[in-house]
Amino acid sequence: VEIKPQNINKGRAAYGWLQDKGCDFILTAGDDTTDEDMFHVMPDDAWTLKVGMDITEAHFYLKGVKEMRQLLRELA
């Protein structure tokens, strides 16, 4: 059970945080429906990754956590 104000979600939090930053690269990844709000507010040039094969607003899909870890290793 999760209890939170109705007007607060990951998208609003991410949007507010991004307004204060000058980012050259943004990678947003998530594996559940609460991450969709976050994908929705990202700039068009952000890498948005859905971990899993559900329908999403993310630009890219990864099959699972193994692929996510591999991508992070390659980026590092």
Side-chain angles (χ1 to χ4, degrees):
V1 174
E2 182 176 347
I3 299 171
K4 63 182 178 81
Q6 204 171 8
N7 63 342
I8 301 294
N9 61 46
K10 290 180 183 180
R12 286 179 186 243
Y15 182 80
W17 188 80
L18 286 173
Q19 299 311 300
D20 298 336
K21 311 292 180 201
C23 302
D24 294 327
F25 176 75
I26 300 169
L27 184 147
T28 305
D31 66 349
D32 68 38
T33 57
T34 64
D35 299 313
E36 294 300 316
D37 295 322
M38 197 169 44
F39 298 148
H40 182 72
V41 300
M42 289 296 119
D44 289 337
D45 61 343
W47 286 27
T48 54
L49 308 167
K50 177 68 172 188
V51 181
M53 301 306 288
D54 296 331
I55 295 172
T56 183
E57 285 200 45
H59 293 131
F60 305 100
Y61 289 89
L62 295 173
K63 289 180 185 175
V65 175
K66 268 184 153 178
E67 283 188 348
M68 185 71 224
R69 287 184 182 141
Q70 182 61 36
L71 175 63
L72 292 173
R73 278 189 210 98
E74 290 175 19
L75 289 172

